[in-house]
Amino acid sequence: MAIIITVSNQKGGVGKTTTSAALATGISSRGRRVLGIDLDPQGNLGFCLGLGSSDMSTVLDTLKGKLPIQEAIIRTEHCDILPSDITLSSSGLEQGNSGRKEYLMRDALMPVMEKYDYIIIDTPPALNLLTVNAYVVSDFLIIPMASDILSLVGLSQLKETIESVQENLNSELNVLGILLTRFNRRTLLSRDVLEMAQQLAEQMRTTVFGTKIRSGVAIAEAPAHGESIFDYNPRSAAVKDYQELIDEIAERIHLKEAAYAKENK
């Protein structure tokens, strides 16, 4: 059964898609079977994973039941992906009388859950039905935030949404951690943001990842060259940070699964 990780923050520009792509390609490069799911109408995850702009089926086709998920998934050089495009922004999924709109993603994924080791979901910069669908189907949530004060704005609303999903739709959803991006430990601002992020993490019953993602030109350049960040410039400081992050994520998941097994022994 796949481990499902959603990368989410209602604020844009915090490294959400970059992190999603890094996790998908980095975990896949370690021999794991990975599916990336793009729930952002901008479709940037597909671009980061090497997809062109040609006509193709998308996640919306599966959510609306027009196409089995197996037929919409595309194989890339790095991993499999369920792509998105701008039509997702006016999907009309909120309409209708169905009381199970929050479970559309879960139901669509059921046929392929055994095929993958990890499923990585990139969400839109909004707390909408698509984001809630991702939370409902996920085991773990990673919250990236840039190392600036504005990135702290709105996290209280995000906290409320997560708690609502945990209480009403998915009691197994676990916030794996808050990830600081564009981090520069030499600046007072980054240190201040880290302190505030730690306080927020405590309120969410989680912690800030020990790994911090530094800024790096390679992160921005790699998609334009159709390469993963790990292939494009493995010596980049930011790329090394993402390798360390994958190690830390694996360790955190292992510890949480071990604690869960002990509690339910």
Side-chain angles (χ1 to χ4, degrees):
M1 184 69 73
I3 294 172
I4 304 179
I5 302 173
T6 282
V7 182
S8 180
N9 191 325
Q10 73 207 68
K11 188 179 186 306
V14 297
K16 184 172 52 61
T17 299
T18 298
T19 298
S20 299
L23 295 184
T25 57
I27 294 172
S28 178
S29 70
R30 300 183 182 197
R32 301 289 187 167
R33 301 168 299 170
V34 179
L35 171 65
I37 298 179
D38 196 346
L39 283 182
D40 189 340
Q42 297 177 81
N44 288 335
L45 181 61
F47 179 73
C48 288
L49 295 179
L51 288 187
S53 57
S54 59
D55 186 39
M56 57 190 173
S57 300
T58 70
V59 64
L60 182 58
D61 296 312
T62 65
L63 293 177
K64 285 193 167 185
K66 294 181 177 180
L67 193 70
I69 189 170
Q70 301 94 319
E71 297 181 27
I73 290 173
I74 298 174
R75 177 65 188 168
T76 75
E77 179 184 348
H78 312 292
C79 63
D80 288 358
I81 182 169
L82 186 58
S84 172
D85 63 22
I86 195 62
T87 59
L88 195 58
S89 64
S90 56
S91 63
L93 292 175
E94 296 85 354
Q95 301 171 2
N97 298 319
S98 171
R100 294 176 58 84
K101 300 185 191 72
E102 299 88 353
Y103 296 94
L104 290 171
M105 190 77 258
R106 187 196 68 177
D107 294 344
L109 274 175
M110 288 302 293
V112 297
M113 286 291 289
E114 300 290 342
K115 182 179 178 181
Y116 297 99
D117 299 309
Y118 286 87
I119 296 174
I120 309 298
I121 304 178
D122 185 28
T123 54
L127 296 178
N128 56 19
L129 181 60
L130 294 170
T131 303
V132 171
N133 263 268
Y135 291 3
V136 168
V137 77
S138 293
D139 301 299
F140 300 103
L141 180 65
I142 293 174
I143 304 170
M145 57 174 285
S147 300
D148 59 56
I149 299 301
L150 290 179
S151 291
L152 295 165
V153 177
L155 282 188
S156 60
Q157 185 183 358
L158 177 63
K159 174 178 175 289
E160 292 174 2
T161 301
I162 293 169
E163 290 175 345
S164 177
V165 170
Q166 290 170 328
E167 292 172 8
N168 302 298
L169 298 168
N170 179 9
S171 61
E172 303 300 317
L173 179 63
N174 194 302
V175 182
L176 201 57
I178 293 176
L179 174 66
L180 289 180
T181 62
R182 300 207 300 270
F183 188 77
N184 184 348
R185 64 181 71 255
R186 292 174 295 182
T187 67
L188 178 61
L189 176 59
S190 285
R191 296 197 295 270
D192 286 345
V193 171
L194 171 58
E195 183 178 344
M196 288 182 280
Q198 289 170 332
Q199 295 171 0
L200 277 167
E202 185 175 345
Q203 295 173 20
M204 293 181 174
R205 298 190 297 278
T206 189
T207 58
V208 176
F209 281 101
T211 306
K212 316 295 189 298
I213 309 299
R214 290 166 284 181
S215 296
V217 176
I219 300 295
E221 291 179 344
H225 290 80
E227 297 183 48
S228 77
I229 60 173
F230 306 107
D231 293 330
Y232 181 71
N233 187 354
R235 294 184 299 275
S236 163
V239 173
K240 291 178 180 178
D241 292 339
Y242 272 116
Q243 288 283 20
E244 291 181 9
L245 174 65
I246 292 172
D247 291 335
E248 186 175 359
I249 288 172
E251 179 63 20
R252 288 196 179 202
I253 290 176
H254 173 73
L255 292 174
K256 288 183 180 296
E257 288 182 336
Y260 178 82
K262 184 177 180 179
E263 291 174 1
N264 292 273
K265 191 172 182 180

